[in-house]
Amino acid sequence: MKQFAAFITKFAKPIVLLWSALLIVLAIFALQLPSKLQGDGFFYDGDHSYVTNELSDTFNLPAKTIFVLFENKSDEEISSALESLETIEEIQSITSPVGVEELNKEGYAYGMLEFDNTVDDYFPIIDELREKLGDINGISITGEPVISKDINVASQNDLIKAETIGLPIALIVLLLAFGTIVASLLPILVGGATVVITLGLLTLLGDSVNLSIFVLNIVPMLGLALSIDFALLLINRYREERNTQSVEQSVQIAIQTAGRSIIFSALCVMIGLGAMIVIDVEIFMNIALGGSIVVLLAVLTGITLLPAALTILGDRLNKGRVFRIKPTASRWQKFAAFVMKRPVTIIVVAIILLCVAMVPIKDIELTIPSTESLPESYESRQTFDTLDEQFGLGDNTPVFLLAENDEAGAWDTTEGREKILDIQQQLLDDPLVDRITSMFTVANIDSVEMWEMANSNPQAPGALDEVAKNFIQEDKMYMVAYLNTEGSSFEAQDFVRDWSEKDLGVDFALSGQAKFNQEIFDEISSKVLIAIAIIIVSTFFILMIAFRSILIPLKAILMNILGLGATFGILVYIFQYGHFGLEATTIVLIIPVLTFCLVFGLSMDYEVFLISRIQEEYLKGATNTKATVDGLVSTSKIITSAALIMIVITGAFAFTDVMPVKQIGVGIAIAIAIDATIIRLMLVPSFMKLFGDWNWWLPFRKNTR
């Protein structure tokens, strides 16, 4: 690191110019990112996706549907509105409610715009639909593509709202830490540059990778918080050294010490993010990609751009002094002495508090976000709720069964028809199935003999062929089972899971909301332990190498798990129990996984910051207790300031409207608050005191003190 540090101070101006040029170029692309974001990230390449595409390609069934709701409109107004949409070439078909009883009810009517699976970007289509329908009172649109677009808009608004709340408070915290305007603004400028460059790179990747709309919130949240944390650590160390060293020497020492801590802590964060790749659901892969890029850039800006800027600024870093920072060492000295005297008591009390906070986990209810993610103030959400209330769109859950026979035409034989009827009957025998749509039910025929007799009638030969063509094409056949439960329910998931394992004598696959939910749940539950194992094992070895110890990484991992368990319990208490003015709601399925993967790495920042300083003092010859006290005194203010900034930046998303984003922000803020107080300031030093020199034990290593 010594040569690297010397290089940074020698070429400080070119480094700043290079980063500035990169920022200007990528800022142009960053502005285009929202147009590249599609969907909520809940995509899994399984049976649901396969069947949906096959039904669209082979049977011309719609891949997606947009609903047009009419309130107190005449048939002429409805027909006129739908006719104006016929010029939109991407629409596969339009279903009008005029003359269709089941599409009309008590002043409400709805039509359907159906699309095949060749449409990749619905956002321009939705803009065109809204333009053609204008602002006509009583006409509105909804459906998954419309809600997805509105969530995109809401996410952009949420980002602006969160930054408007978080950044000014972060600036105040930095002012309290540094006392000068220049020193306080520098971390925010570096963090902003990191985020903008990342968003620009993601825009360039957006043409080859499907990016979720939630990337727009999580990447800035993570990038700003980490960049400011790293800057806080490095600037603080620089200012310490500047009391006795030149500007260049101070910057170099800061890179060699704080820079090392930044690299190790970033490695822990990137492991947490990278581990999510094993879960083959788009949102995890998106966050792993976007998060890894922003963390990598936070490290690069933290150990190149920031120290280069410090070299150029020199003592001008102290320009614009708002107030003088009073020494806090004596207060932290008293606190450290208190902890050193009562390690066992502190450990017992802290663990009891964390375990109590975990209790609500027993009631956790996880769901996949749908329309509930969108705030009720959006018209598409209101329209969907009206359709559900008036027409009961969610009352019955369709499950599509697509079966393939050995050869083309086999379904049109007596044996093939008997197989279709047998599958239909097995479905009807299931208590969850209300009704079936198949070629037999559409023709109102309940036996193969009746079918063949009706189709061979001399007066109308082949009368049922057209009906059969709607359900049979070459070697493929489909039917639809309607369940008497919601698609998001565990009963529906159990149904499709059990049916997917049945032996029907032919190859088949299922699709529909229930199948989609089941595949997402099963993929996450089957891979999450692998992701956690990767994080824990990798973190253990990184910390073992960094601190040359067995006990320190073991303690860090166990304490992180305790802290995260308490976080999940508090999340259930806040959101699921409906406290602090929030309406009771379920926990979004991805939140525990994302929070664990993100926070496990983030909280290691403070572990690395604290233990690095303790190790530094220990290697200089201090006793374990003295090193712990000195490390705690010198880093406590920085850890609490860094944690407060992280809490402010992520916690600001608590005031946003998109529920998954709100829960992620609150979850990270709670986890960091627990970590920076109960764990890092109380449990870690207590355990360091309790284990003494055993903290630094590593097999087969000579004592290097």
Side-chain angles (χ1 to χ4, degrees):
M1 288 289 283
K2 188 175 285 187
Q3 290 180 335
F4 175 76
F7 174 84
I8 297 298
T9 55
K10 183 178 180 181
F11 297 100
K13 287 183 180 178
I15 289 170
V16 172
L17 288 172
L18 182 63
W19 277 108
S20 299
L22 190 63
L23 173 63
I24 292 168
V25 172
L26 289 176
I28 298 169
F29 290 99
L31 295 171
Q32 303 169 29
L33 182 61
S35 64
K36 302 283 184 181
L37 305 178
Q38 291 280 342
D40 56 12
F42 283 91
F43 174 78
Y44 174 75
D45 190 12
D47 284 354
H48 170 75
S49 176
Y50 163 74
V51 172
T52 300
N53 288 332
E54 280 294 327
L55 291 175
S56 178
D57 291 339
T58 306
F59 295 95
N60 211 30
L61 265 64
K64 291 187 185 295
T65 301
I66 291 178
F67 299 90
V68 184
L69 178 65
F70 302 94
E71 184 177 357
N72 298 320
K73 294 296 176 185
S74 65
D75 289 350
E76 291 76 15
E77 290 174 309
I78 292 172
S79 298
S80 176
L82 293 178
E83 283 173 11
S84 70
L85 306 180
E86 291 176 356
T87 56
I88 302 176
E89 59 184 30
E90 290 88 353
I91 298 177
Q92 180 185 10
S93 63
I94 298 176
T95 301
S96 172
V98 176
V100 183
E101 185 179 347
E102 58 265 28
L103 302 183
N104 289 265
K105 184 179 180 183
E106 298 176 359
Y108 291 98
Y110 73 92
M112 292 176 285
L113 314 177
E114 297 175 337
F115 301 82
D116 60 28
N117 62 351
T118 61
V119 180
D120 294 321
D121 188 0
Y122 281 91
F123 288 6
I125 298 171
I126 294 164
D127 288 337
E128 190 174 357
L129 283 171
R130 284 174 167 162
E131 182 182 344
K132 287 185 176 294
L133 292 173
D135 296 324
I136 304 173
N137 188 35
I139 302 180
S140 55
I141 60 174
T142 191
E144 187 267 327
V146 185
I147 289 169
S148 178
K149 177 175 172 56
D150 285 349
I151 290 177
N152 184 301
V153 173
S155 297
Q156 295 177 57
N157 294 336
D158 282 354
L159 179 60
I160 295 169
K161 185 189 295 184
E163 289 179 346
T164 302
I165 296 169
L167 288 178
I169 301 175
L171 181 59
I172 293 170
V173 175
L174 288 167
L175 277 171
L176 292 172
F178 293 138
T180 69
I181 293 173
V182 174
S184 303
L185 284 175
L186 189 57
I188 292 177
L189 293 174
V190 171
T194 301
V195 170
V196 171
I197 291 170
T198 303
L199 297 180
L201 291 174
L202 288 173
T203 302
L204 296 176
L205 290 171
D207 292 326
S208 55
V209 179
N210 291 327
L211 294 175
S212 160
I213 53 182
F214 295 126
V215 166
L216 196 60
N217 296 107
I218 292 172
V219 167
M221 179 197 300
L222 187 60
L224 273 174
L226 267 181
S227 293
I228 294 173
D229 267 12
F230 292 163
L232 189 64
L233 179 67
L234 194 131
I235 291 173
N236 183 72
R237 189 56 187 258
Y238 162 78
R239 294 179 102 188
E240 278 184 25
E241 299 300 329
R242 186 68 186 95
N243 292 325
T244 57
Q245 307 286 343
S246 68
V247 169
E248 287 192 359
Q249 288 174 324
S250 299
V251 171
Q252 290 176 17
I253 293 171
I255 293 173
Q256 292 169 49
T257 54
R260 179 178 178 272
S261 298
I262 288 169
I263 290 170
F264 275 109
S265 62
L267 273 174
C268 292
V269 178
M270 290 182 73
I271 286 168
L273 289 163
M276 287 191 284
I277 292 177
V278 303
I279 304 174
D280 193 17
V281 178
E282 199 171 79
I283 190 169
F284 293 108
M285 303 179 81
N286 282 181
I287 294 172
L289 174 65
S292 296
I293 292 173
V294 81
V295 172
L296 178 61
L297 282 168
V299 174
L300 291 176
T301 56
I303 62 175
T304 60
L305 175 61
L306 178 62
L310 289 174
T311 304
I312 295 169
L313 286 170
D315 291 333
R316 284 172 291 183
L317 184 71
N318 298 319
K319 288 277 187 181
R321 183 169 295 280
V322 178
F323 50 81
R324 294 198 172 274
I325 303 298
K326 294 180 180 179
T328 58
S330 60
R331 290 201 298 268
W332 286 113
Q333 193 83 36
K334 290 178 183 177
F335 175 78
F338 174 81
V339 173
M340 292 298 100
K341 286 180 182 177
R342 304 167 181 82
V344 175
T345 303
I346 288 172
I347 289 169
V348 170
V349 171
I351 290 176
I352 289 173
L353 286 173
L354 294 174
C355 289
V356 169
M358 289 184 198
V359 172
I361 294 178
K362 62 182 174 57
D363 298 322
I364 194 167
E365 186 178 344
L366 302 173
T367 56
I368 295 174
S370 55
T371 55
E372 292 81 9
S373 298
L374 189 64
E376 293 181 359
S377 58
Y378 282 77
E379 185 183 66
S380 58
R381 167 70 188 275
Q382 296 168 5
T383 302
F384 184 89
D385 290 344
T386 300
L387 281 170
D388 192 28
E389 181 183 343
Q390 296 296 327
F391 297 95
L393 292 185
D395 292 348
N396 290 108
T397 300
V399 174
F400 296 85
L401 184 149
L402 177 69
E404 297 184 29
N405 222 320
D406 293 334
E407 56 187 49
W411 293 112
D412 284 324
T413 64
T414 299
E415 184 180 4
R417 295 185 187 105
E418 287 175 348
K419 174 59 68 178
I420 294 171
L421 202 58
D422 177 59
I423 295 171
Q424 176 180 306
Q425 190 56 50
Q426 288 190 56
L427 282 167
L428 286 170
D429 288 341
D430 193 296
L432 275 184
V433 177
D434 259 356
R435 56 190 172 88
I436 298 286
T437 296
S438 72
M439 63 185 219
F440 283 99
T441 60
V442 168
N444 199 25
I445 291 176
D446 56 11
S447 71
V448 174
E449 292 79 7
M450 287 180 62
W451 177 282
E452 293 179 347
M453 187 181 302
N455 210 32
S456 60
N457 187 332
Q459 295 179 349
L464 298 177
D465 288 347
E466 286 302 315
V467 175
K469 282 181 182 179
N470 291 328
F471 295 90
I472 297 172
Q473 290 290 329
E474 297 181 349
D475 62 336
K476 296 180 176 63
M477 177 278 300
Y478 88 93
M479 64 178 65
V480 188
Y482 292 89
L483 310 186
N484 53 27
T485 186
E486 292 183 359
S488 58
S489 67
F490 289 111
E491 292 86 357
Q493 289 183 44
D494 289 340
F495 173 87
V496 292
R497 187 182 292 111
D498 294 342
W499 262 84
S500 295
E501 299 299 322
K502 284 184 179 289
D503 181 8
L504 299 181
V506 291
D507 293 331
F508 73 99
L510 305 176
S511 74
Q513 185 190 1
K515 183 63 180 174
F516 167 78
N517 287 350
Q518 174 257 311
E519 287 182 330
I520 296 290
F521 264 94
D522 288 358
E523 174 64 15
I524 293 174
S525 60
S526 66
K527 301 285 182 63
V528 67
L529 291 180
I530 298 173
I532 290 172
I534 291 170
I535 293 170
I536 290 174
V537 172
S538 302
T539 301
F540 173 82
F541 282 108
I542 285 174
L543 294 181
M544 185 184 74
I545 293 167
F547 300 121
R548 289 172 288 178
S549 166
I550 292 289
L551 275 177
I552 286 173
L554 279 176
K555 289 185 296 179
I557 289 166
L558 290 173
M559 285 185 285
N560 263 17
I561 291 171
L562 272 175
L564 284 165
T567 299
F568 298 149
I570 296 170
L571 275 178
V572 172
Y573 179 82
I574 293 172
F575 289 100
Q576 203 169 303
Y577 293 176
H579 287 96
F580 303 107
L582 292 173
E583 185 180 345
T585 184
T586 54
I587 304 297
V588 177
L589 174 64
I590 61 170
I591 301 303
V593 182
L594 281 179
T595 304
F596 185 95
C597 293
L598 286 171
V599 173
F600 200 93
L602 288 174
S603 59
M604 284 301 172
D605 278 359
Y606 311 120
E607 177 78 8
V608 171
F609 295 170
L610 175 58
I611 300 298
S612 292
R613 200 57 184 265
I614 294 173
Q615 183 188 41
E616 194 177 324
E617 298 301 322
Y618 185 76
L619 292 176
K620 286 178 182 177
T623 64
N624 177 76
T625 301
K626 178 73 164 53
T628 302
V629 170
D630 290 348
L632 190 61
V633 170
S634 61
T635 61
S636 292
K637 180 182 176 182
I638 296 304
I639 288 177
T640 51
S641 298
L644 188 54
I645 287 169
M646 183 79 76
I647 291 165
V648 165
I649 295 292
T650 58
F653 285 85
F655 301 97
T656 58
D657 296 321
V658 178
M659 185 54 68
V661 175
K662 185 192 290 282
Q663 291 184 355
I664 290 171
V666 172
I668 294 175
I670 291 170
I672 296 300
I674 290 172
D675 188 86
T677 53
I678 296 176
I679 292 177
R680 301 303 154 203
L681 297 183
M682 299 178 72
L683 280 178
V684 169
S686 295
F687 277 119
M688 292 296 291
K689 167 69 176 177
L690 207 60
F691 286 102
D693 289 335
W694 282 102
N695 287 299
W696 309 103
W697 177 76
L698 183 68
F700 314 113
R701 176 175 71 89
K702 292 181 181 179
N703 192 346
T704 56
R705 288 187 59 183

